């Protein structure tokens, strides 16, 4: 019995855990550096955002620890309850109980905190799609039973996000559906058709909204309207440009001095580039690369089909967040409110990412245990 407990302890993917903790510590340092000036002006303490993020990190570590030890049978039963809770939470954001910030109703107020349901809707969608594709493999190549159900569920979630409005969140859910369908064996013809329809729908949403259309034009030529719609992106590019090889020094960045909006949120990587330069960005890429490599490796090693889908989807959530955030702050994609996993300030995203990590560690542990029993 002692040997069995020891194998269970050492079999967890420690490289993933250590890499995530390193990125988390990196993020806490950068939140402190990027938010101190704004926090002192608005709240009278330069540690306001840092202390809150530290608390969110503590909650996230608890969530990660619990989810890493949950029985797999319990996780298997969560797809419908979590999907229903996500739908209800997204509907609540559109009610008078929702919190409206900058014209968007994306949060639910719970005491002194605000929760963004979209961050947890991603996980619930992955669990549902994993259940669907693993239990209906004989139907996934049919249109009526293999394509319509997951597309309808995802479309309903996207519609709730677009009403908020949250165009970026809807795009992330659509991307999750596309890659999960591709991984699940959906016919390429159906994927190509859905991709064309999604592009057409996105185009219509953009051209029918003057604000979105202006943001698209600003993305194509940001310096043409640098003082207005492109201001945030231009300041981000200035931050990266001034970082050089080794950066301006931790805490010595200038763009966070009320030049770069959301410096501690979605554009925190611009502060990393300015203050730590090429060296700091390379360190981040190394750590995040390890996280993503280990996450997808866990999926590759799974034996059970449902486990493969769950772990692939969880790894996809983290990777999409990292890639899309970097694309936005570097001007490779239109500006959208997408947080950098483990780095950006915000409790909902951080706790959701720690939940993804805990579940990945859970499946890495059970996988190693099965391999160990097989060798015996």
């Amino acid at each position: 019995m002692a040997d069995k407990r020891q194998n269970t302890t050492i079999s967890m993917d420690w490289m993933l855990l250590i890499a995530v903790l390193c990125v988390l510590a990196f993020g806490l340092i950068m939140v402190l550096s990027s938010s101190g000036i704004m926090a002192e002006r608005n709240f009278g303490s330069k540690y306001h955002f840092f202390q809150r993020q530290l608390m969110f990190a503590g909650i996230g570590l608890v969530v990660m620890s619990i989810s890493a030890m949950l029985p797999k049978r319990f996780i298997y039963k969560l797809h419908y309850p979590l999907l229903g809770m996500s739908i209800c939470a997204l509907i609540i954001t559109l009610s008078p109980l929702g919190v409206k910030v900058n014209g968007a109703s994306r949060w639910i107020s719970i005491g002194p905190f605000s929760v963004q349901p979209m961050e947890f809707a991603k996980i619930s969608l992955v669990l549902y799609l994993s259940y669907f594709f693993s239990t209906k493999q004989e139907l996934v190549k049919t249109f009526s039973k293999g394509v319509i159900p997951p597309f309808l569920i995802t479309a309903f979630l996207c519609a709730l996000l677009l009403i908020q409005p949250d165009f970026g969140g809807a795009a992330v859910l659509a991307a999750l559906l596309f890659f999960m369908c591709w991984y699940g064996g959906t016919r390429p013809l159906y994927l190509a058709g859905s991709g064309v329809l999604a592009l057409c729908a996105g185009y219509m949403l953009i051209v029918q909204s003057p604000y979105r259309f202006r943001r698209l034009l600003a993305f194509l030529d940001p310096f043409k309207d640098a003082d207005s719609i492109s201001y945030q992106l231009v300041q981000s590019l200035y931050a990266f440009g001034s970082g050089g090889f080794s950066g301006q020094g931790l805490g010595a960045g200038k763009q966070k001095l009320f030049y770069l909006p959301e410096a501690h949120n979605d554009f925190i990587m611009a502060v990393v580039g300015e203050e730590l330069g090429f060296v700091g960005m390379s360190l981040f890429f190394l750590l995040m690369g390890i996280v993503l490599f280990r996450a997808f490796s866990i999926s590759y090693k799974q034996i059970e089909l449902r486990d493969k889908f769950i772990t692939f989807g969880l790894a996809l959530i983290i990777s999409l967040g990292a890639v899309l955030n970097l694309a936005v702050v570097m001007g490779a994609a239109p500006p959208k409110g997408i947080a950098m996993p483990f780095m950006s300030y915000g409790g909902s995203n951080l706790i959701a990412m720690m939940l993804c990590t805990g579940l990945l560690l859970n499946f890495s542990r059970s996988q190693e245990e099965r391999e160990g029993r097989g060798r015996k």
Side-chain angles (χ1 to χ4, degrees), residues 213-243:
F213 189 66
R214 287 181 61 203
R215 294 193 74 171
L216 177 62
L217 294 178
F219 155 71
L220 296 175
D221 188 6
F223 289 92
K224 185 177 180 179
D225 196 8
D227 293 328
S228 181
I229 195 70
S230 303
Y231 178 79
Q232 193 171 26
L233 175 57
V234 168
Q235 297 301 317
S236 176
L237 295 176
Y238 283 153
F240 281 113
S242 63

Side-chain angles (χ1 to χ4, degrees), residues 168-240:
V172 170
L173 292 189
L176 283 173
L177 173 66
F178 179 86
F179 286 110
M180 291 289 284
C181 286
W182 167 75
Y183 195 66
T186 302
R187 291 181 183 274
L189 179 63
Y190 297 152
L191 286 178
S194 64
V196 172
L197 289 176
L199 289 175
C200 292
Y203 174 78
M204 294 301 296
L205 288 170
I206 290 173
V207 298
Q208 290 181 358
S209 170
Y211 178 70
R212 291 196 189 111
F213 189 66
R214 287 181 61 203
R215 294 193 74 171
L216 177 62
L217 294 178
F219 155 71
L220 296 175
D221 188 6
F223 289 92
K224 185 177 180 179
D225 196 8
D227 293 328
S228 181
I229 195 70
S230 303
Y231 178 79
Q232 193 171 26
L233 175 57
V234 168
Q235 297 301 317
S236 176
L237 295 176
Y238 283 153
F240 281 113

Side-chain angles (χ1 to χ4, degrees), residues 297-364:
S297 295
I298 291 170
S299 176
Y300 177 76
K301 292 179 180 179
Q302 298 301 310
I303 297 175
E304 300 295 332
L305 190 59
R306 189 167 183 177
D307 297 353
K308 279 184 173 291
F309 283 119
I310 292 176
T311 49
F312 175 78
L314 295 171
L316 195 59
I317 289 174
I318 300 174
S319 58
L320 280 175
V323 171
L324 292 176
N325 178 272
L326 284 171
V328 167
V329 300
M330 292 183 173
K336 282 296 167 191
I338 298 175
M340 173 57 71
F342 311 109
M343 294 284 291
S344 294
Y345 171 79
S348 296
N349 179 264
L350 181 56
I351 293 172
M353 292 303 101
M354 298 302 283
L355 175 57
C356 289
T357 303
L359 292 174
L360 284 167
L361 292 173
N362 190 315
F363 284 93
S364 76

